[in-house]
Amino acid sequence: MNISSLRIVNINPTPIIQEVSNCFPSVIYFSATLSPKEYYHTLLGGKNIREDLKVISSPFDKKRRLILVDSNLSLKYKDRNDTISAVFNDIINLVQCKKGNYMIFSPSFQYLSLLQACLEQYKKTNDISLIVQTSEMDSRQREEFLSNFKEDNNRTTIGLVVLGG
C-alpha cells in the first residue's frame, strides 16, 4: 500500500491548549472576535468565565467603519453558485462609489476563487488593484499582503480574504 499523503486533524484542541497555557503564569489570546464567548472560553481551557475573560474594546475608530448587509442574498453552501453574480454586483456597486481600500471576506477559499474570477474580468477594464489571500501564506506574505492597503492609495485596492483564514 502506497500512502501519498496523510492529514491528521485535531478535532478537540482544548487539552493541548490547556497543557501549553498551564506552563505560563498568564496567557493572552488575541482575536478579532472570540465569539461566541462561551465556546472560546471552554476551548481555551477557562474555568470561570466571569473571572477569566476580559474583553477590551476595539482600538479602531468606529466612525471609519461601515458594515453593509444584503439580507436578500444567501452565502450558504447550497446557494453560493446561485448568488455569486449578485454578490459580485454588490461589490462592484460599492467600490465604484469611492476610491479606497476594500477588504472582501469570503466564506471559503472555493468561494474566494469564484469572486476572484469575476473581479479579474472586471479589472481588465477598470483601474483597480486586486490582492488575493492564498491558503499557504506565511507571516511575511501576510505582511506583504497588508502593506498594499495604504491610506494615500490613488486607486481602489480590493483584498479578497477568507473569513477566519
Side-chain angles (χ1 to χ4, degrees), residues 117-133:
C118 295
L119 287 164
E120 290 288 355
Q121 285 298 321
Y122 177 80
K123 183 180 164 186
K124 289 178 181 178
T125 57
N126 294 275
D127 185 32
I128 65 164
S129 180
L130 181 63
I131 301 112
V132 182
Q133 175 191 16

Side-chain angles (χ1 to χ4, degrees), residues 25-40:
S26 64
V27 180
I28 297 173
Y29 298 101
F30 175 79
S31 171
T33 58
L34 283 179
S35 178
K37 287 186 248 182
E38 292 77 13
Y39 169 78
Y40 283 100

Side-chain angles (χ1 to χ4, degrees), residues 44-162:
L44 298 172
K47 307 220 180 345
N48 182 335
I49 194 163
R50 288 196 177 131
E51 292 175 15
D52 293 342
L53 193 61
K54 306 292 184 239
V55 179
I56 59 172
S57 60
S58 172
F60 302 106
D61 185 357
K62 288 183 180 172
K63 293 177 195 152
R64 297 188 70 182
R65 177 179 67 188
L66 176 63
I67 299 172
L68 302 172
V69 177
D70 186 341
S71 57
N72 296 316
L73 295 176
S74 168
L75 293 185
K76 290 180 181 172
Y77 183 76
K78 67 179 181 65
D79 300 326
R80 290 179 185 171
N81 286 332
D82 298 332
T83 60
I84 186 71
S85 214
V87 169
F88 169 71
N89 287 330
D90 278 354
I91 292 168
I92 295 309
N93 288 332
L94 176 69
V95 302
Q96 286 178 337
C97 290
K98 183 178 180 187
K99 278 186 185 172
N101 296 312
Y102 296 88
M103 192 80 69
I104 309 298
F105 292 90
S106 170
S108 69
F109 279 104
Q110 180 184 15
Y111 198 76
L112 178 140
S113 70
L114 293 173
L115 282 174
Q116 180 180 1
C118 295
L119 287 164
E120 290 288 355
Q121 285 298 321
Y122 177 80
K123 183 180 164 186
K124 289 178 181 178
T125 57
N126 294 275
D127 185 32
I128 65 164
S129 180
L130 181 63
I131 301 112
V132 182
Q133 175 191 16
T134 64
S135 59
E136 302 85 25
M137 287 176 121
D138 60 27
S139 58
R140 183 194 57 75
Q141 291 168 316
R142 285 191 294 269
E143 288 296 322
E144 187 178 302
F145 176 92
L146 292 172
S147 72
N148 289 287
F149 299 92
K150 297 180 177 72
E151 196 168 334
D152 59 350
N153 272 351
N154 57 0
R155 68 195 294 211
T156 291
T157 299
I158 301 173
L160 284 180
V161 296
V162 172

